[in-house]
């Protein structure tokens, strides 16, 4: 009899935990999606390409956790707005399709706000200014500026604005070829091996690389194009975009944004 009562109590407790788990607005489990009626999400899945220091990259001292300017900023925004986040690593050019198909909810990946991307996603307010730089191997004395890229080969990150810029040069018949690669490290290898002559990539990322690995590449033009980064959400997801914008305004106001800036730059 007592045994049966105990069992009953255990079942009741499990039931209560399960119920409270579902209704807990701070739940940090996986996203719950109800067929038909939509349940308010409190955990958003963030998509990122985490090989892009200082914006998002693996922390070698901490079992590869993703850290960086973007990471701290979205965490501060999430805290301010009372939602939690989960991370999903993808190649950069897979991020927008993953957002559109609902695999992720927010792109946090040093993504430049462009007119073309605005056609398929909604961006938050810009959260930082960046821009494109042209870099060559440290020992390259042929390319001294953008005026010297005639007939040369570019290595760029696939799907990036740097790739779009290289495509533009190629369409103008200015450069010979463009090699598309998934990550910055692949680009550097192609420059070191001489397969590519130059790269076009985000200035802060190029500078961070040069700081980490001195003597490999050098910048010959640091203002090829000016850009701003935004967080992207699915088209029409106004609620989430407004939350991100409100959180961004608050963390700028309360000094958190400046602290994160000081930490990474
Ligand atoms: N800012 C560039 C873009 O949006 C590159 C971003 C990246 O590679 N993470 O295309």
């Amino acid at each position: 009899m007592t045994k049966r009562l105990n069992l009953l109590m255990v079942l009741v407790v499990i039931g209560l935990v399960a119920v409270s788990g579902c209704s807990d607005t701070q739940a940090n489990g996986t996203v719950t999606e109800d067929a038909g009626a939509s349940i308010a999400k409190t955990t958003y899945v963030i998509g990122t390409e985490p090989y892009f220091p200082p914006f998002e990259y693996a922390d070698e001292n901490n079992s590869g956790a993703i850290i960086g300017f973007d990471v701290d900023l979205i965490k501060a925004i999430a805290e301010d707005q009372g939602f939690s986040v989960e991370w999903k690593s993808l190649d950069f050019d897979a991020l927008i399709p993953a957002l559109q198909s609902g695999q992720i909810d927010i792109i946090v990946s040093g993504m430049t706000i462009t007119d073309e991307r605005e056609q398929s996603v909604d961006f938050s307010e810009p959260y930082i200014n960046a821009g494109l730089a042209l870099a060559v191997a440290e020992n390259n004395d042929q390319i001294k500026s953008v005026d010297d890229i005639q007939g040369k080969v570019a290595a760029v990150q696939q799907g990036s604005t740097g790739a779009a810029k290289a495509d533009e040069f190629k369409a103008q018949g200015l450069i010979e070829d463009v090699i598309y690669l998934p990550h910055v490290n692949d680009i550097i290898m192609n420059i070191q091996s001489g397969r590519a002559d130059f790269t076009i990539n985000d200035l802060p990322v190029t500078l961070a690389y040069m700081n980490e690995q001195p003597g490999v590449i050098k910048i010959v033009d640091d203002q090829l194009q000016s850009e701003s980064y935004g967080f992207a959400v699915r088209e029409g997801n106004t609620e989430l975009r407004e939350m991100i914008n409100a959180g961004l305004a608050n963390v700028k106001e309360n000094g958190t944004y400046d602290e994160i800036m000081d930490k990474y730059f």
Side-chain angles (χ1 to χ4, degrees):
M1 182 65 187
T2 349
K3 246 190 195 162
R4 212 177 261 179
L5 197 62
N6 280 345
L7 180 66
L8 192 68
M9 280 178 69
V10 166
L11 289 176
V12 166
V13 169
I14 290 173
L16 281 177
V17 168
V19 166
S20 68
C22 288
S23 59
D24 185 353
T25 53
Q26 293 298 313
N28 51 14
T30 40
V31 177
T32 32
E33 197 89 65
D34 194 316
S38 66
I39 291 175
K41 277 190 202 175
T42 54
T43 299
Y44 292 103
V45 182
I46 294 182
T48 193
E49 186 255 334
Y51 302 92
F52 207 61
F55 296 104
E56 41 273 323
Y57 56 104
D59 180 2
E60 255 117 55
N61 306 317
N62 180 20
S63 63
I66 303 172
I67 56 168
F69 178 84
D70 288 355
V71 178
D72 283 12
L73 184 57
I74 199 71
K75 279 185 181 164
I77 291 171
E79 196 182 326
D80 181 79
Q81 294 294 304
F83 63 84
S84 51
V85 295
E86 248 174 41
W87 295 85
K88 192 170 176 66
S89 300
L90 292 162
D91 280 352
F92 189 73
D93 61 349
L95 291 168
I96 290 182
L99 185 67
Q100 289 176 312
S101 70
Q103 228 188 315
I104 58 173
D105 302 302
I106 315 173
I107 298 174
V108 177
S109 204
M111 185 171 272
T112 302
I113 302 171
T114 68
D115 290 344
E116 198 195 334
R117 290 175 182 155
E118 294 263 26
Q119 311 289 313
S120 42
V121 301
D122 286 349
F123 281 105
S124 69
E125 291 296 322
Y127 63 84
I128 195 167
N129 294 325
L132 297 180
L134 198 146
V136 299
E138 173 77 32
N139 60 6
N140 183 324
D141 46 21
Q142 282 188 343
I143 303 177
K144 295 193 172 66
S145 79
V146 67
D147 300 329
D148 305 322
I149 58 173
Q150 201 109 30
K152 303 289 183 202
V153 176
V156 291
Q157 185 166 23
Q158 59 203 26
S160 69
T161 49
K165 194 80 194 162
D167 288 342
E168 234 177 85
F169 288 143
K170 189 168 178 214
Q172 292 164 6
L174 195 62
I175 63 173
E176 171 75 22
D177 209 359
V178 184
I179 303 173
Y180 308 94
L181 298 156
H183 310 300
V184 173
N185 280 347
D186 308 310
I187 295 174
I188 305 290
M189 270 164 53
N190 273 262
I191 289 188
Q192 277 183 309
S193 72
R195 267 191 81 206
D197 303 294
F198 69 95
T199 185
I200 301 173
N201 205 343
D202 298 32
L203 176 64
V205 174
T206 309
L207 288 171
Y209 181 86
M210 289 165 59
N211 203 33
E212 262 312 291
Q213 307 281 337
V216 180
I217 55 166
K218 64 182 175 193
I219 292 173
V220 292
D221 189 326
D222 62 1
Q223 277 177 10
L224 212 54
Q225 179 164 292
S226 69
E227 303 186 339
S228 313
Y229 294 168
F231 301 115
V233 299
R234 245 182 314 288
E235 263 197 313
N237 195 350
T238 318
E239 194 190 338
L240 181 53
R241 188 168 56 102
E242 304 283 271
M243 275 206 291
I244 294 172
N245 283 341
L248 179 60
N250 289 343
V251 300
K252 277 191 170 173
E253 181 86 31
N254 68 21
T256 310
Y257 181 94
D258 290 335
E259 279 168 32
I260 301 173
M261 197 69 160
D262 288 346
K263 184 169 160 192
Y264 291 100
F265 294 97

